[in-house]
């Protein structure tokens, strides 16, 4: 069960020791509420109470903040401050969380809750946050960190993903947390209800992915202000201007710009105003991923790494805004992730078949269970150690023992005769010459019968880069040479094919990617 808390929001019986309290001897000062879009120091104060709300970006940066400091005395100190003050909850269930994992690698579920219970009327207005929508979770991201800490994979789940919730059947994913809270006894405390919601959500994600969820982190909505302000704002790049003032309040020009405070929150909450090609929550997921990437780039920059004051503020903000499971060791996680860089942090969206409707509800149809579990198994697979390769020279024979039939498939007239003449000069007996059945071969091919690999290797040595393939049409003891448009002559390498352009989907980008988004 989650622990009771004192009036400062810390677990009861765990006050921060005076030797670790960075505020010891300092009077507490009230902070004025910020105007909409204000990114300065007068952002609305962080407030405890209610459930953590819907900005998982804040949690990601909070969890990773200490990784910048691991290994130093100062980092150890800040790690102790974070561990002593961070909020804890009993989020990991004792059953229904089976699957691959459980070793030194880590699967962490990041959750943002859509409750606005802790916001004042003025803050709701400033943020275009509407009214309290209850306890449904709007943002869910699974983070996988391998045992060697060399990379981090972030996979976002659309809130409307149609999934099987243990004990409740099929429904949208963001209902799992609410069902868990409803299942708590009437006499249960708010913390206990929240823990029940977290546990059912973990069980749902575990069953969906086939992974064991090791840790859990949930975020505070207003803590998002503090993060973006502490790092000095986050750079984003928009392909076109945004006007969503009627919904999220987002209103930004096109191009590169730095956002923080209320503007940062409006940016990651936007799911309208994308134009005729807009995709709603899928576009919002891209914004969340882009913002997380921008935060991580900023945290890994010298501007933060060399500023002990910012480091301290980041860790304190993380401790204030985060609620994590009982066993998550922030410093251990930080040490595991010391080698992570911006270009080794990848963001994706769970494989899906797009939107649809079920029982009158708008849903996102995910791929089938086998496909999803294969995706997450590949995502979390540890690389096998590579054995040192011992190069083995291909077996060849004397050219005089290889008869070569030459066929022209290049479209260049007379090329077969020229090649045959050059082969004969190189010591190869030449059999048939003529045109291939098709004159549009782009690649030169060496075709051979089963068991004639050594003969084919001998011809391939005379025409580097030609493609060798076993063929039922080849006669044993004779090799067929089909000339393509890449053929440059016997004794010369063929022209290499143009590289196939790599097309990266919008759902796969790294934290180092600064290209514009819709």
């Amino acid at each position: 069960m989650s622990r009771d808390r004192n009036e400062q929001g810390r677990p009861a019986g765990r006050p921060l020791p005076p030797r670790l309290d960075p505020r010891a001897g300092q009077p507490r000062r009230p902070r004025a509420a910020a105007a909409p879009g204000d990114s300065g120091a007068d952002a609305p104060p962080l407030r405890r109470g209610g459930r953590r709300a819907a900005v998982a970006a804040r949690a990601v940066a909070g969890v990773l903040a200490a990784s910048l400091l691991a290994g130093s005395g100062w980092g150890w100190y800040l790690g102790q401050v974070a561990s002593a003050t961070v909020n804890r909850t009993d989020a990991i269930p004792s059953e229904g969380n089976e699957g691959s994992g459980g070793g030194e690698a880590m699967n962490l579920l990041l959750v943002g809750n859509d409750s606005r219970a802790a916001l004042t009327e003025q803050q709701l207005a400033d943020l275009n946050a509407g009214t309290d929508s209850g306890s449904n979770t709007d943002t869910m991201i699974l983070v996988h960190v391998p045992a060697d800490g060399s990379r981090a994979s972030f996979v976002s789940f659309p809130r409307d993903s149609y999934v099987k919730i243990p004990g409740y059947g099929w429904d949208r994913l963001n209902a799992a947390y609410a069902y868990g809270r409803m299942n708590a006894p009437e006499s249960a405390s708010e913390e206990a209800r929240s823990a029940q919601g977290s546990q059912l959500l973990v069980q749902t994600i575990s069953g969906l992915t086939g992974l064991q969820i090791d840790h859990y982190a949930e975020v505070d909505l207003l803590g998002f202000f503090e993060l973006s302000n502490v790092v000095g704002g986050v750079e984003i790049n928009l392909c076109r201007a945004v006007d969503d003032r009627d919904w999220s309040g987002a209103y930004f020009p096109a191009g590169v710009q730095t956002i923080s405070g209320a503007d940062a929150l409006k940016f990651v909450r936007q799911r309208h105003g994308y134009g005729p090609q807009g995709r709603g929550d899928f576009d919002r997921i891209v914004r969340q991923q882009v913002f997380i990437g921008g935060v991580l780039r900023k945290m890994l920059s010298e501007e933060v790494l060399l500023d002990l004051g910012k480091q301290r503020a980041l860790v304190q903000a993380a401790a204030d805004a985060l609620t994590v499971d009982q066993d998550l060791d922030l410093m251990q996680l930080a040490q595991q992730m010391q080698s992570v860089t911006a270009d080794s942090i990848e963001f994706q969206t769970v494989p899906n078949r797009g939107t649809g409707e079920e029982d009158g509800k708008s849903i996102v149809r995910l791929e089938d269970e086998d496909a999803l579990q294969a995706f997450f198994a590949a995502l979390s697979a540890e690389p096998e150690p590579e054995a040192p390769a011992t190069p083995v020279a291909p077996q060849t024979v004397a050219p005089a023992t290889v008869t070569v039939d030459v066929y022209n498939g290049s479209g260049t007239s007379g090329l077969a005769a020229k090649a045959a003449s050059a082969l004969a000069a190189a010591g190869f007996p030449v059999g048939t010459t003529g045109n291939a059945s098709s004159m549009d071969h782009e690649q030169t091919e060496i075709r051979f019968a089963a068991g004639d690999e050594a003969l084919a290797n001998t011809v391939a040595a005379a025409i580097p880069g030609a493609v060798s393939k076993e063929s039922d049409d080849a006669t044993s003891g004779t090799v067929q040479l089909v000339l393509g448009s890449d053929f440059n002559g016997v004794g010369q390498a063929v022209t290499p094919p143009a590289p196939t352009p790599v097309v990266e989907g919008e759902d796969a980008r790294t934290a180092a990617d600064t290209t514009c988004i819709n």
Side-chain angles (χ1 to χ4, degrees), residues 328-374:
L328 180 59
D329 185 326
L330 295 179
M331 278 306 293
Q332 183 178 0
L333 173 61
Q335 290 163 355
Q336 183 175 354
M337 299 185 68
Q338 283 185 88
S339 61
V340 169
T341 59
D343 58 4
S344 65
I345 300 172
E346 186 175 67
F347 300 95
Q348 300 181 71
T349 298
V350 64
N352 65 84
R353 300 174 182 175
T355 58
E357 186 172 307
E358 197 73 35
D359 297 329
K361 299 177 181 178
S362 175
I363 64 168
V364 173
R365 298 191 187 279
L366 302 185
E367 291 290 353
D368 61 44
E369 182 177 323
D370 290 342
L372 286 178
Q373 298 203 359

Side-chain angles (χ1 to χ4, degrees), residues 1 184-190 192-193:
M1 302 296 292
E186 291 186 7
S187 59
S189 65
E190 179 66 20
R193 291 179 184 276

